[in-house]
Structures are given as structure tokens and as C-alpha cells.
Amino acid sequence: MHIGELADKTGLSLRTIRHYDDVGLLPATSRTEGGFRLYSDADVESLLLIKQMKPLGFSLEEMAEILALIASGAGREGVGADASPNSARLGDFLEQAVQQRAKMARNLAQADDFIDMLGVRARGTAA
């Protein structure tokens, strides 16, 4: 599929997708003879994963590593003594994501408290 269809399917801008291609995070699967980027259904899935990682603060390098680990099947070996170093690395990323989400939840709660306070004050001055 062309980049426009990929953008429609993922909700990301053409500029963002081009940037991910330029930095090597999500290179186009192929190109037409005219040089237009072509993407596969697997690219859609990868881009949706990237979209999920972005708010959690992962760097482009970390995102690339996570995509590579997932593509390699890391985490399917099991746990404990059977787990591979790749599974352990995915576990590290999981812990990082959990911690970042908790931080986001605290920030959201603070924002809610602030909005509530402003609402009370705004209603108090309007009366």
C-alpha cells in the first residue's frame, strides 16, 4: 500500500511516517519504479505498535529494539530458566512501560484535581 493508505489506517501523518522511514525505524517494504514508498500489512502492525510506544516515552532506538524483539518471537520461550536474554529484555521494557504509565496516571490525577479546583473557583466568582 502507498503511504497515504498507511497514514489513513494508522491515524499518523505522512510526515511522521516519512520520518520513521528516514531514521530507519520503519523503512518502506519496497518502492515503486518512481520511488514511491510501499508498505505491507506487517508495516501497519509495526506502526500501530510504535504509536502505542510513543506516549510511554520510548526513544526511537528503544522502539526499534522492541520491534526487533517482537519480530524475533522473544517472550514465547516461557519464563524462568527457559527464558532467553531477549525475553528478559522485553521484561525490562515492560517494567519501563508500567512505570511510565503509573507516572502518567499520577500526572492525570493532578490535572483532574487542578481542573476541579478551577471549576469550583469559576463557579464561585460567577455567583
Side-chain angles (χ1 to χ4, degrees):
M1 74 190 76
H2 288 274
I3 193 170
E5 186 178 350
L6 181 64
D8 289 342
K9 286 186 175 191
T10 61
L12 293 170
S13 69
L14 299 175
R15 181 178 178 191
T16 297
I17 296 169
R18 285 186 192 110
H19 175 69
Y20 290 157
D21 184 0
D22 292 342
V23 299
L25 181 60
L26 186 75
T29 300
S30 62
R31 290 191 180 255
T32 65
E33 288 182 22
F36 292 102
R37 295 170 172 91
L38 293 175
Y39 294 93
S40 68
D41 289 335
D43 294 327
V44 173
E45 296 303 316
S46 292
L47 197 52
L48 290 172
L49 285 173
I50 292 166
K51 189 175 176 182
Q52 291 174 324
M53 288 184 258
K54 187 149 178 55
L56 294 170
F58 288 107
S59 69
L60 294 175
E61 294 80 14
E62 289 170 327
M63 288 184 208
E65 185 178 354
I66 293 168
L67 289 174
L69 288 168
I70 290 171
S72 75
R76 295 189 183 155
E77 304 88 9
V79 294
D82 295 337
S84 73
N86 288 345
S87 293
R89 186 67 177 134
L90 272 181
D92 293 342
F93 284 125
L94 171 61
E95 181 60 29
Q96 186 177 342
V98 167
Q99 289 177 6
Q100 184 60 25
R101 192 214 177 274
K103 181 180 176 182
M104 292 167 69
R106 287 189 303 271
N107 288 342
L108 185 57
Q110 289 176 339
D112 289 341
D113 290 345
F114 179 70
I115 290 168
D116 290 345
M117 182 273 302
L118 285 179
V120 168
R121 291 184 184 248
R123 287 186 295 275
T125 59

